[in-house]
Amino acid sequence: MPKIAKRSLKAASVSVRGIVQGVGFRPFVYGLAVRNNLNGWVYNTSEDVRIEVEGEAEAIKQFERELGTEAPPLAHIENVTIEYHRPRGYKSFEIRQSQAQEGKYQLISPDVATCQACLVELLDPEDRRYRYPFTNCTNCGPRFTIIEGMPYDRPKTTMRYFQMCPQCQAEYDNPLDRRFHAQPNACPKCGPQVQLVDNQGNLINNSNPVAVASRLLEEGKIVAIKGLGGFLLVCDATNDAAVRALRRRKRRPSKPLAIMVATVADAKKHCYILPEEEKLLASPQRPIVLMIWKEDSSVSREVAPNLWFLGIMLPYTPLHHILLRDTGLPLVMTSGNLSEEPIARDNDEALGRLSSIADYFLIHNRDIYSGYDDSVAMVERGTSQLMRRARSYAPYPIRLPLEVRQVLGCGGEEKNTFCLTKDNYAFLSQHIGDMENMETLEHFDNTLSLYKRLFHIEPEIIAHDLHPDYLATKYAQELGESGLKLVPVQHHHAHIASCLADNGLESPVIGVAFDGTGMGADGNIWGGEFLVADYRNYERVGHLEYLPLPGGAAAIKRPYRTAIGYILTLLGENVLNAVIRSEAKQSQRASLGQVGEVGIDVIKRQMERRINSPLTSSMGRLFDAISALLGIRGEIDYEGQAAVELEMAAYSSVIAMGVGNEAMSNAEESYPYRIVADQGIRIVRLRDLVAAVIGDLHQGISKGIISVKFHNTVAQMINEMCQLIANETAITQVALSGGVFQNRLLLRKTVSLLERSGFQVLTHRQVPCNDGGISLGQAVIANFAI
């Protein structure tokens, strides 16, 4: 280090907060200091990276500039504070030991896909890490899934059991090496190893288990593969029989599966890919991206039956890269679980739970501390939107526009997440799953304990949904018994607050919350709601008219019941009988007639006597009813299937003719409906709409055209209601939230109409618009409730 003249010495103490641990930040600072001839030190604490530098004044200014402009690609700097003082006379620059601080917390990097430098090594026969499935560096690899505590050092990860060999240790100790303090650093000599076993746990002896697993996949076998956040069930995506076997064993009859391909070029063989979609697909997060499926794709239609969109992801671990290159096939990769259970994480657990599904297991001995599913995203209007927030996104927090207390939002029943708030951060958990069994509740509880420990949060307020039977609500109430304050939050208010937080806003908005089910303040089932809302309050200013849901949950599983109930209520028994006769004449797949006269009589009596026939204003149920009425989907295998296939029918009317989906935004035909005032609330009456749909059906209009017209109608309905509300409130911002807005066609049409009417439209980006985002809304609302 050159000698520095004492007369020009300056010194600065620097604190850097954000995601600055486990991303190569300290070696970056070291290199920056050496390059600028500065002395001092850098080290991690439990809340930040601390730096002290001294040297020439201009060199310190340059250091400060480059600290922000040249940070490592995975670093995310939230805040930098600098204090100047007299020099202390350091003789060199060094990286010091980390210092734990009681009660302090640090943002943590999510897991990151294999970087290009590691991929080059992985595929180089001359490199010592050739085909090594655990190759990583400070720019990539596992992070949150292996962390047990902070600061982020190897002894506090599941890599603590693996002692580095001299070569790996030399990399780890060299500040100028990209593996400097890469906590998962390893090689074939000293790191984790892969084994192949059959579904009874018997070891398949071979020197190259990954190559053998690849051959098994080519032969049509199903292999459970341990990944970053848990096991994935894998098979050849071009093999109809293999995909059908996976569906049968996993008890997933028709819910779409995702595939993985080796490169973007391979993805383009199967999907039409926009530039924004390609960027998201190849990003370090590597989510599953939903894109338009090419008709000449070799991927089996069994992968996503009746859908125009295919979910594709690129490899995000070295093991994936090897498998995809060995097989040369697109591979189905779906969560290692039976339907509705959490993803299997440990080797013994996977063998116990998945042995009836997988023929073989590719396991390894690096433990997973926190289980994660793959994230799912789409690109709409040039912007990525998460539909499931998990791997590579959580636990990165949502930055809030205000300071908040320590609050826990427990989320909903389906697509559950929880949310913890502190300072101006909202720590939204990874996707937990549907809270329908004790296994998922245990996963919720374990993950919550981890977040509380890592981010030093002890909630003083617990927020929960109004529905008393949700497991998440019961969990909250148990916490309330210990003296914590409980705040019940209305489901759709939480949706709109979540959208506000996602967009970093606080001011009141017109909130359009469309979904399938949410307990209303009046005890009915809401889901087609127009609110004026902010974090503190909401007012229900409009909704779809209440209609019966005969059979309650049974109607959700069998949308033909919903359709029958709606027709009987709105149009009467004669119209229902005419619809059933029309089905028979047109040889249409029977949806309403399949229930038979006895079944219809049962539904009528349920409605007349109000036996298990709750009233609902749900837009999701209206989509279900129209889908069943058109004979598209009368019974469902997965949540939202009827509505999804109704949307696909609209796409089929245009895409199948080679026109392209943007053309659908130009179709203007729609159906009639009425908006009436009732005790100060605007109600959307649906009789005319349903009657017109039936009229088109009787005239032989195609289901695709009817679906397009229905989507147009809903978009126009939203626009008209928002204009009426804006005339009274002068609010010009509209927030769209709820699972119905996962419908790309409806979202596109709605946003276009609203923007043409002069509204600023807020949609979700960082968190899902479905129930995976409501815990965020709950937590922020509860902050103001007490």
Side-chain angles (χ1 to χ4, degrees), residues 108-422:
I108 301 173
S109 170
D111 296 49
V112 181
T114 305
C115 70
Q116 187 60 34
C118 284
L119 182 59
V120 169
E121 294 174 343
L122 181 74
L123 302 179
D124 181 0
E126 302 302 318
D127 194 276
R128 72 189 188 96
R129 290 187 172 90
Y130 176 57
R131 290 178 64 89
Y132 182 56
F134 304 95
T135 301
N136 68 86
C137 70
T138 52
N139 295 323
C140 69
R143 294 292 188 277
F144 191 73
T145 53
I146 64 170
I147 292 174
E148 298 180 21
M150 292 295 282
Y152 176 54
D153 290 317
R154 195 174 179 110
K156 293 189 176 183
T157 75
T158 60
M159 284 297 294
R160 66 180 178 275
Y161 304 108
F162 301 96
Q163 184 173 350
M164 284 180 280
C165 68
Q167 284 177 288
C168 287
Q169 189 68 53
E171 294 168 332
Y172 185 90
D173 292 335
N174 181 0
L176 300 181
D177 193 288
R178 81 174 200 279
R179 292 192 168 94
F180 176 74
H181 280 223
Q183 306 307 337
N185 189 32
C187 74
K189 291 182 180 178
C190 63
Q193 300 295 322
V194 170
Q195 290 182 319
L196 183 68
V197 300
D198 65 19
N199 57 11
Q200 300 303 307
N202 300 311
L203 182 66
I204 309 297
N205 286 309
N206 57 81
S207 59
N208 196 336
V210 180
V212 176
S214 298
R215 287 198 297 273
L216 291 168
L217 289 168
E218 292 170 26
E219 294 169 5
K221 302 297 184 183
I222 298 169
V223 182
I225 297 176
K226 189 175 182 180
L228 274 180
F231 278 79
L232 295 174
L233 292 165
V234 183
C235 73
D236 176 2
T238 68
N239 185 325
D240 288 349
V243 178
R244 282 195 294 266
L246 175 57
R247 285 195 173 283
R248 183 178 65 254
R249 297 179 194 178
K250 189 175 162 66
R251 302 174 197 168
R252 186 169 172 161
S254 51
K255 188 175 182 179
L257 303 167
I259 70 165
M260 182 180 284
V261 297
T263 65
V264 170
D266 289 326
K268 289 180 177 178
K269 296 175 184 177
H270 306 289
C271 286
Y272 298 100
I273 301 181
L274 299 172
E276 298 88 351
E277 292 170 331
E278 181 175 336
K279 182 179 179 181
L280 180 60
L281 191 66
S283 69
Q285 289 74 33
R286 298 285 170 99
I288 297 166
V289 183
L290 300 180
M291 298 172 292
I292 296 176
W293 196 354
K294 288 183 175 179
E295 287 201 84
D296 61 354
S297 163
S298 63
V299 171
S300 168
R301 294 288 149 173
E302 298 285 340
V303 168
N306 304 318
L307 301 187
W308 280 99
F309 293 92
L310 179 64
I312 296 186
M313 58 181 158
L314 296 182
Y316 54 86
T317 72
L319 179 57
H320 294 152
H321 282 285
I322 299 168
L323 276 173
L324 269 295
R325 283 163 174 79
D326 280 0
T327 62
L329 295 167
L331 298 175
V332 168
M333 295 236 179
T334 187
S335 300
N337 55 11
L338 286 170
S339 290
E340 315 310 334
E341 290 182 355
I343 190 170
R345 187 183 65 183
D346 302 322
N347 294 338
D348 290 343
E349 174 196 6
L351 282 163
R353 288 173 52 196
L354 306 179
S355 60
S356 62
I357 305 176
D359 301 304
Y360 295 90
F361 289 73
L362 196 59
I363 61 176
H364 61 73
N365 58 342
R366 186 180 71 196
D367 289 341
I368 298 169
Y369 196 75
S370 184
Y372 267 67
D373 289 279
D374 291 313
S375 296
V376 181
M378 67 178 184
V379 174
E380 188 53 48
R381 293 170 63 88
T383 302
S384 64
Q385 299 184 20
L386 285 172
M387 304 169 78
R388 183 168 75 192
R389 188 176 189 268
R391 174 188 52 78
S392 294
Y393 290 93
Y396 189 73
I398 309 302
R399 191 177 180 91
L400 300 173
L402 67 164
E403 291 274 331
V404 290
R405 291 182 283 180
Q406 297 189 30
V407 180
L408 166 64
C410 291
E413 186 82 345
E414 295 179 339
K415 299 177 176 64
N416 178 271
T417 61
F418 63 78
C419 182
L420 290 165
T421 60
K422 183 177 184 177

Side-chain angles (χ1 to χ4, degrees), residues 1 9 44 105 150 157 186 196 219 325 329 387 396 409 421 429 461 482 567 569 634 639 653 702-703 712 719 744:
M1 187 74 68
L9 280 180
N44 286 339
Y105 70 98
M150 292 295 282
T157 75
L196 183 68
E219 294 169 5
R325 283 163 174 79
L329 295 167
M387 304 169 78
Y396 189 73
T421 60
S429 77
I461 303 170
S482 65
I567 294 171
T569 303
E639 189 245 340
S653 71
S702 75
K703 298 173 186 178
N712 289 340
N719 186 46
R744 302 162 80 130

